[in-house]
Amino acid sequence: PNATLPLEAPTVSRRHPTIDTDGQGHYILRDYSTNGVFVNGQKVNTTALLSPKLVIN
């Protein structure tokens, strides 16, 4: 790969979630990760609308 420091571990992902805005002030979490992302304990399958005080893992 093109990485400066490649990590050869099955728990390390090349793909990560992103947080974007929709142009109207809403934050949207998009899950591109291999290992998954959770909002308030619920797995995000594709996208989630974010609001204050949510817990993202």
Side-chain angles (χ1 to χ4, degrees):
N2 295 329
T4 303
L5 179 63
L7 302 173
E8 301 296 330
T11 58
V12 176
S13 174
R14 292 181 189 200
R15 299 171 39 183
H16 305 283
T18 63
I19 297 176
D20 302 306
T21 59
D22 66 357
Q24 298 177 359
H26 301 111
Y27 291 93
I28 301 168
L29 177 106
R30 299 183 196 286
D31 183 20
Y32 299 110
S33 69
T34 302
N35 298 324
V37 64
F38 295 79
V39 174
N40 284 354
Q42 299 293 315
K43 185 171 183 350
V44 174
N45 292 318
T46 54
T47 63
L49 184 62
L50 300 179
S51 60
K53 299 185 181 180
L54 291 176
V55 176
I56 301 171
N57 320 52

